[in-house]
Amino acid sequence: MYYNANYYYQCADTKEKLGTMAGDMAGKWGTGSIDTEEIERNSDLTLDGGFDFNSGWNFTYRNQVGRASLADEATAPPRDFRFFYKEDVDNVAKMGMWIGGSRYEKDIPFYITPDSLKGQLFQADRVMEEFEEETGHVEGYSDFMKQLSLFTGWYGWTTGINNRFGNYVPDGSYWEYG
């Protein structure tokens, strides 16, 4: 699972430019204004409710891959933020993030038991607490990381989170930090 804030901002810039172009063309041709927000709200041609990067990201990593979720798709990431997460076969996930040009890594131990989902859901902002001394308080990172949940494939399949579209906060009774 990979998140890159550069892609988020490139997508937002492209969306804005396309909206401006559509408005300019409508004005030039005298067809009246085009309400791009209204079109987006009522379109059946979106992945899960939006023509934005975070909606597409959630569709991929929550609904298809089943390993991560953004709670609020409207949340903008810090500009130079990147994040990588991979569930390993030994119930340990590898996580890396880039903050202010520095890379921070963390192993996340998941606890997979046949009778409980406890220990299979991880709130990503907990990593910020661990690296707080090294990074200082870097504006925006913790707020964005609070929106990001990481989980095992078993958790995704069992809870049906992969069938949730749009904004969604996973069940907090399963949070774990090892």
Side-chain angles (χ1 to χ4, degrees):
M1 191 268 333
Y2 182 69
Y3 189 97
N4 188 329
N6 290 334
Y7 300 157
Y8 171 90
Y9 288 104
Q10 288 172 355
C11 185
D13 289 345
T14 300
K15 181 178 172 181
E16 182 180 337
K17 288 176 184 173
L18 289 172
T20 300
M21 286 173 40
D24 291 348
M25 288 172 47
K28 180 179 177 181
W29 294 340
T31 60
S33 66
I34 297 174
D35 187 347
T36 57
E37 291 178 13
E38 179 68 21
I39 292 169
E40 184 174 350
R41 276 192 303 275
N42 295 302
S43 178
D44 293 334
L45 304 175
T46 60
L47 296 173
D48 67 347
F51 292 120
D52 60 271
F53 179 77
N54 285 348
S55 293
W57 188 91
N58 253 353
F59 180 78
T60 300
Y61 292 108
R62 180 198 300 160
N63 303 114
Q64 293 191 335
V65 176
R67 296 295 188 280
S69 176
L70 280 174
D72 183 356
E73 294 175 349
T75 302
R79 285 221 173 249
D80 62 348
F81 176 75
R82 288 182 293 153
F83 186 84
F84 174 79
Y85 161 74
K86 181 180 188 308
E87 184 179 355
D88 202 348
V89 293
D90 298 326
N91 297 335
V92 174
K94 304 289 183 191
M95 186 176 82
M97 65 181 170
W98 290 260
I99 298 175
S102 297
R103 181 180 176 156
Y104 300 91
E105 294 182 359
K106 170 83 176 146
D107 287 346
I108 305 170
F110 284 115
Y111 308 104
I112 299 178
T113 60
D115 60 345
S116 174
L117 292 176
K118 186 108 176 130
Q120 296 185 45
L121 178 64
F122 179 81
Q123 187 64 34
D125 70 318
R126 299 293 299 268
V127 173
M128 292 302 298
E129 294 172 5
E130 184 172 327
F131 295 119
E132 184 87 27
E133 192 171 304
E134 294 174 50
T135 63
H137 178 69
V138 183
E139 192 66 37
Y141 287 95
S142 184
D143 292 339
F144 184 75
M145 296 290 277
K146 286 178 185 174
Q147 301 297 319
L148 187 59
S149 303
L150 308 172
F151 42 87
T152 65
W154 180 249
Y155 176 88
W157 182 80
T158 303
T159 63
I161 192 173
N162 56 337
N163 292 317
R164 306 277 183 166
F165 296 91
N167 293 341
Y168 177 73
V169 177
D171 182 350
S173 66
Y174 298 115
W175 292 125
E176 186 69 35
Y177 183 70

